[in-house]
Amino acid sequence: MRNIKLTIEYDGKRYHGWQRLKDSEKTIQGKIEYVLSEMTEEKIEIIGSGRTDAGAHARGQVANFKTESNMSRQKMMDYLNYYLPNDVVVNKIEEVQERFHSRYNCSGKQYSYYVWNTEVPSVFKGQHSFHVQEKLDIDKINEACQKLVGEHDFLGFSSLKKSKKSTVRTIKELSMEQEGNMLRFIFVGDGFLYNMVRIIMGTLLEIGLGELPVELIDEIFEDRIRENAGETVPSYGLFLDEVYYN
Amino acid sequence: MRNIKLTIEYDGKRYHGWQRLKDSEKTIQGKIEYVLSEMTEEKIEIIGSGRTDAGAHARGQVANFKTESNMSRQKMMDYLNYYLPNDVVVNKIEEVQERFHSRYNCSGKQYSYYVWNTEVPSVFKGQHSFHVQEKLDIDKINEACQKLVGEHDFLGFSSLKKSKKSTVRTIKELSMEQEGNMLRFIFVGDGFLYNMVRIIMGTLLEIGLGELPVELIDEIFEDRIRENAGETVPSYGLFLDEVYYN
């Protein structure tokens, strides 16, 4: 039995997220499983590194699947990219050890969130970034980013009602790069709770607009009350860049 | 009577090009005229610097219109960007002399054409670039670019059957920039014939693939036979970057 690891790029605009639902047409996982099953003539189920939200994108989502097929990796790649829709591309295929599991073995992830920060909207960047017209206080945002780095209980920055499992996560890096009017926020961490990046982003933006104080971050770590944090920003500015394995 | 100059950015994907047709819904000009007419309560006709093809994009198309309205430029900008669809944005509004004419006064243009040159397609860049999987001979392409620069009769590189007007044009610059797998071809000239950029691009790519010899360029300048040049590449890789006025 071969274990095949896929690295996948997709534009999430047309999809109800990664995870397969009943209507397999509308999810990334469903699309890929359908094409793989046709290709191998087996019923293929793929294991993703984790879900991505409806409308969110990926440059380096990882998934794996088991197959008896002896098709070469190059042929698989050609087949997949020929039959997958244009907004889903497999850009790497590796053969991995039988016990490799995309979700259990994942040691961390990098996400980016893009903010287009100027009065006039952008035709070409508007579909993959969140438009904020008002000027942001970059110093305050950077100060807030520093407070978020490290090991914290992020329950208050998630859409989880409550959790039996630990909601402590470590953000190893949270930095902002500016290129013209585009701000790119880069999140590197060992794991992210449901909606965590989007709620942190909403909080950072409200701090940058002067609507929330920087100190609020510490309070939310203590109180763990999601309602005190900022709005959840839209999914179309969010990219899963990379999934790490040790 | 005020004369207003607009600088316009658009994604041409959903449109039948710049120029207004009977069904005004499906052209950029038609869309903008409709919103301007609502805004001023006058019947506005705009004069573009020139047409762009169905599916082609613009970062800096220029158009002007006359109006009796005394609305401020800022209010016009807000109104237009609120009512125009997301894929058309006005990013500059200037008040110009009454005799300014976007087409007659135009002294040159810059276009870019994007080629994604690697085996695997790109999800995010695929909608705005032409995908060429085979490796291109960059030296040969640069050699061909140099032959095209200067004053020449470009009839053989256009879709014009014949022309009573002169088909001599000057390409001031034709350069190629490479960023990772993306090749950007920049064309600066005093004017471009119908389909000239797309036919030159098709010819350059066939030269880069070794299917056509570099010397063909000189022959087409002499014979002026369009059939000897390369294919017309798709419009979705083409951007009108800037329109020049003296």
Side-chain angles (χ1 to χ4, degrees), chain A residues 9-11 57-59 74 77-78 81 86-91 119-124 127-128 239, chain B residues 9-11 13 57-59 74 77-78 81 86-91 119-124 127-128 239:
Chain A
E9 182 175 78
Y10 50 84
D11 184 319
H57 319 292
R59 295 199 180 90
Q74 184 60 52
M77 186 105 144
D78 293 344
N81 288 329
N86 285 339
D87 47 13
V88 180
V89 164
V90 173
N91 49 36
E119 203 181 341
V120 180
S122 167
V123 164
F124 299 105
Q127 294 175 0
H128 300 102
F239 285 72
Chain B
E9 182 175 79
Y10 50 83
D11 184 320
K13 191 167 51 210
H57 319 292
R59 294 200 181 89
Q74 184 61 52
M77 186 106 146
D78 293 345
N81 288 330
N86 286 338
D87 47 14
V88 180
V89 163
V90 173
N91 49 35
E119 202 181 342
V120 180
S122 167
V123 164
F124 299 105
Q127 293 175 0
H128 299 103
F239 285 71

Side-chain angles (χ1 to χ4, degrees), chain B residues 127-160:
Chain B
Q127 293 175 0
H128 299 103
S129 61
F130 179 47
H131 185 204
V132 175
Q133 293 194 291
E134 300 78 14
K135 208 170 163 49
L136 293 165
D137 185 332
I138 299 298
D139 290 341
K140 280 226 174 104
I141 288 179
N142 280 328
E143 201 186 325
C145 284
Q146 285 325 301
K147 281 184 180 288
L148 288 153
V149 171
E151 190 184 78
H152 301 284
D153 185 339
F154 285 96
L155 181 63
F157 291 102
S158 85
S159 294
L160 299 168

Side-chain angles (χ1 to χ4, degrees), chain A residues 22 30 39 51 55 101 106 124 163 209-210 225 230 233 245:
Chain A
K22 279 178 191 170
M39 182 182 89
R51 305 176 188 187
H101 188 288
C106 166
F124 299 105
S163 177
L209 292 168
I225 301 171
V233 293
Y245 296 94

